[in-house]
Amino acid sequence: MPERATVAESDAVVRVCARAESHEGAVILDLRNTTFLGPLAVALLASCVALRARDGRQTSFEFPRQADPARFFSEVGLSSFAAGDSTGAGTLEVRQMATLDASYTRAVTEMLVRGVPGIDEANSYPIELCLNELLQNVFEWAESAVGCFVLARWYHKSRSVRVAVVDRGIGIPGALRRGPVKRLHSASDAELILEAVTTPRLTSRSNQVGGLGLKNVSETVLQRRGRLTVLSLSAKLSWSDENLERADVPRFGGTAIELEFRPDAPVERPYDYVPVF
Amino acid sequence: MPRIQIAQLSHGSNVTRADGAVLRTAIEQRWNDAEPVILDFQALRIASVSFFDESVGVLAKAHGREVIAKRLRVENIDSSDRKLLNEIVSSRAREHEHATSGDSLKVLLREVGVPEDILSTWDGTLLALYQDHGAGSASLEVALRAARENAARGDWALDLGHYETALSREVGQSLKEKFDRLGVTYQTRSLAYDWQDGQRASAP
C-alpha cells in the first residue's frame, strides 16, 4: 500500500485492489508503511476483501507501524472485517450494506450531534441527506453483488466530516450508457460522471422522474466549500471550490465516492422559488 | 381533512424512491377528495431527495404548483425537510410549466395552419412573430416597393426558423395576444435579419 492512502492517492489504492482481486490465493495487504489512511481507501480495501471473500479467497492485513494510522486502522474495523466478523454496529467502523438502512444514516448523524461541539440537529441534516442519496443511488443503480461499503468519519482539525461510499457494480458511466439519453451512450467515462454530478434531472430511469440526487449532493458539499470526489470505471473527478480536477485511473469496477465538508459552514443560498409549503 | 401519518404509512422506510412511491399512491387515493390531503410528518426527519421527489415531486411535475398548493398541506415537518420539499416541488413544477407552455404553444401554431411535420421537427428555440413591414431583395428599389405593399396589407409573418408563413392582420394580431397571454418568448422581427446578406427595407 502507498505511504499515504488519502483520496488523492486513490488511484494507487485501486491498483493495489486490482492486483489483490486478480490473485487466486491468499493475500496479505501490507499497510506497515502507510502513515495516513483516508475513508475512501478504507472503503476501497473493504470492497476488495468482500469481493475476494465472495469467491472463498482469504485476505488479511499487516497493521501500519505508526501509532496514529494503526489506531485509525483498528477503529475502522478493517481487520475484523477481513476476518469475517460483523462490523459497523458502531458507526466508527466501515460497514457493508446490502440494503438502504435509514437507521444507519440516522445513527451517524446522531453520533455527530452528541459527540461534536457545534454540530446540532439542523447542521447535521446535510450529512444525513448526502448519505441517504449516495446509498439510494447504489441500491437503485449499481447492481453491486457485494452491496456497498460506507465509512463516515469526523476530523477535529478541519472540523469536517468525510463520508466514503464504495460499490462494486456497473459504475455511473455504465448506468447512464444504458439509459434513455442517447447522446450519452458514446460519451467518455469522465464526461458521464461530469454529467451525472452537474446536470439536474439527468437519470437512467426511463419515462420516470429522477436525477436530482447526485446533483443535490454536489450542491450540498460545494456550497459549504467542501470537496467531492467521484471515481468510477476509468475516470476520477474531484470538485472543490471552483475547481474541477480530472484524472484517468486504473479501471475500477464500480463507483467510489468521497465527500468532505464542514456541516456548520455558512451557506449563502439564494432561494429561486416561492415556497409551496 | 384526510390525513396521512407518514410514520404509520412508511413503518420507518422513508428514504428510497420505492418508499416515496408508496406515499404517492396513498396521496393519489385521496386526490379527488373535496378537501386537501394533510401530510403529517410527526416525529420524522426524511432527509431524502429521492423520497420527496418520488412522492410529491412526481405529482408536482404532473399537476403543477397551483394544484399541489390546493391539494396538499404539510404539518409537523422538520424545517430542513420543509426547505428540501419546497425546492423539489418548485423544480418539478417548473418542468410542468415548461411542458405545458410547450404543448399549448404547439396547439396555437397548429390552429394557424403550421403543418404537423413542421411542428414535429421544430425544437422550440426559433420563433418570430411580427407585422411584416419589411421585404428583402437584392435590389433596394424592389425591396422598398414590396415593403410598402406588405405594410398596406398589415399581414403578419410567423417564422419557426425552418418554416415561414404569412398570417392575415386579424390572425396575426390574435396569435400575438395569445402568445403574450401564455408568456411565450418570441422575436418581433424576421429571424433572417440574423444571417441575411441581401438588401432589406422596412416601410415606416
Side-chain angles (χ1 to χ4, degrees):
Chain A
M1 279 284 289
E3 188 182 342
R4 285 177 62 81
T6 69
V7 71
E9 296 84 22
S10 48
D11 49 341
V13 181
V14 166
R15 212 169 279 122
V16 168
C17 292
R19 212 174 135 202
E21 285 161 24
S22 66
H23 198 283
E24 293 296 327
V27 162
I28 299 171
L29 292 167
D30 184 354
L31 279 84
R32 284 175 298 178
N33 294 323
T34 302
T35 57
F36 197 93
L37 199 60
L40 191 68
V42 172
L44 283 167
L45 291 173
S47 77
C48 169
V49 169
L51 272 185
R52 287 178 46 80
R54 190 190 57 165
D55 301 334
R57 295 178 291 169
Q58 196 184 356
T59 315
S60 57
F61 290 95
E62 291 267 24
F63 265 51
R65 286 198 185 102
Q66 289 190 13
D68 280 354
R71 188 168 53 246
F72 180 82
F73 185 85
S74 174
E75 269 183 14
V76 298
L78 263 181
S79 274
S80 309
F81 187 82
D85 298 337
S86 160
T87 59
T91 50
L92 287 172
E93 293 181 331
V94 66
R95 174 160 177 167
Q96 182 175 10
M97 295 176 83
T99 55
L100 205 174
D101 179 358
S103 65
Y104 169 75
T105 60
R106 199 80 260 278
V108 168
T109 46
E110 280 173 358
M111 182 188 71
L112 291 172
V113 171
R114 280 197 311 272
V116 180
I119 301 296
D120 55 28
E121 279 291 328
N123 61 29
S124 67
Y125 189 86
I127 303 167
E128 194 174 347
L129 184 69
C130 288
L131 256 175
N132 279 336
E133 289 319 311
L134 294 178
L135 295 175
Q136 154 73 25
N137 276 352
V138 168
F139 294 115
E140 188 169 6
W141 298 116
E143 299 179 22
S144 171
V146 288
C148 73
F149 305 85
V150 192
L151 184 63
R153 299 286 300 187
W154 174 256
Y155 288 78
H156 284 283
K157 200 172 169 185
S158 55
R159 297 197 49 74
S160 62
V161 66
R162 284 186 205 171
V163 175
V165 176
V166 171
D167 72 67
R168 303 306 303 266
I170 59 173
I172 290 173
L176 286 175
R177 284 192 186 107
R178 291 181 184 181
V181 185
K182 286 206 170 60
R183 72 183 163 83
L184 300 180
H185 293 181
S186 56
S188 69
D189 290 345
E191 285 167 338
L192 290 169
I193 294 171
L194 184 64
E195 291 268 2
V197 172
T198 59
T199 307
R201 304 181 196 95
L202 180 66
T203 178
S204 42
R205 294 156 68 86
S206 290
N207 304 316
Q208 295 173 76
V209 302
L212 292 180
L214 206 46
K215 174 81 167 54
N216 202 288
V217 167
S218 72
E219 283 176 0
T220 300
V221 172
L222 298 177
Q223 279 164 355
R224 290 165 177 80
R225 307 184 74 79
R227 178 177 47 77
L228 170 69
T229 302
V230 181
L231 188 160
S232 193
L233 304 190
S234 65
K236 179 169 103 171
L237 278 73
S238 193
W239 289 259
S240 59
D241 288 331
E242 301 289 306
N243 301 321
L244 166 62
E245 289 176 22
R246 303 175 195 220
D248 293 330
V249 290
R251 190 172 175 84
F252 173 72
T255 299
I257 296 179
E258 185 180 287
L259 50 88
E260 176 181 14
F261 64 94
R262 287 183 56 161
D264 59 348
V267 177
E268 288 178 21
R269 185 172 189 172
Y271 292 110
D272 60 346
Y273 62 85
V274 179
V276 176
F277 300 114
Chain B
M1 281 193 231
R3 175 179 295 266
I4 299 174
Q5 298 280 359
I6 314 294
Q8 274 179 20
L9 180 80
S10 65
H11 302 292
S13 296
N14 41 49
V15 176
T16 66
R17 285 199 172 270
D19 300 335
V22 171
L23 173 57
R24 174 160 43 83
T25 302
I27 295 170
E28 284 170 338
Q29 284 165 355
R30 298 158 177 82
W31 194 250
N32 294 320
D33 289 4
E35 293 186 280
V37 181
I38 297 172
L39 307 181
D40 190 336
F41 289 88
Q42 180 78 47
L44 284 179
R45 178 154 98 162
I46 303 295
S48 166
V49 174
S50 300
F51 179 84
F52 281 136
D53 193 33
E54 194 65 37
S55 52
V56 188
V58 167
L59 294 171
K61 187 178 176 186
H63 301 287
R65 101 182 252 114
E66 283 180 21
V67 173
I68 291 294
K70 266 188 210 158
R71 298 299 320 143
L72 296 180
R73 302 264 189 283
V74 298
E75 286 185 7
N76 302 314
I77 191 167
D78 172 276
S79 62
S80 298
D81 275 346
R82 185 187 293 275
K83 274 187 209 160
L84 181 63
L85 179 59
N86 273 317
E87 276 181 45
I88 290 166
V89 167
S90 296
S91 172
R92 291 300 182 195
R94 273 198 294 272
E95 282 183 79
H96 170 83
E97 282 149 23
H98 184 73
T100 311
S101 65
D103 289 348
S104 307
L105 177 56
K106 285 193 174 175
V107 169
L108 292 180
L109 295 175
R110 211 170 274 127
E111 281 173 2
V112 297
V114 177
E116 208 56 49
D117 61 325
I118 296 292
L119 285 177
S120 67
T121 54
W122 181 57
D123 68 1
T125 52
L126 294 175
L127 178 64
L129 177 68
Y130 55 96
Q131 214 157 10
D132 196 7
H133 291 179
S137 168
S139 154
L140 181 60
E141 191 184 337
V142 174
L144 276 169
R145 190 170 61 239
R148 282 192 207 101
E149 289 169 5
N150 281 345
R153 276 200 307 274
D155 285 352
W156 288 69
L158 173 68
D159 192 346
L160 275 64
H162 65 319
Y163 172 84
E164 191 169 356
T165 187
L167 305 173
S168 70
R169 185 191 297 260
E170 295 73 24
V171 171
Q173 184 61 41
S174 162
L175 188 60
K176 179 189 180 307
E177 285 165 12
K178 287 173 183 169
F179 275 9
D180 293 344
R181 263 205 306 277
L182 202 59
V184 173
T185 305
Y186 59 97
Q187 285 202 39
T188 54
R189 63 174 198 171
S190 169
L191 297 171
Y193 271 113
D194 297 337
W195 56 78
Q196 194 173 51
D197 290 322
Q199 297 279 359
R200 194 166 175 90
S202 185

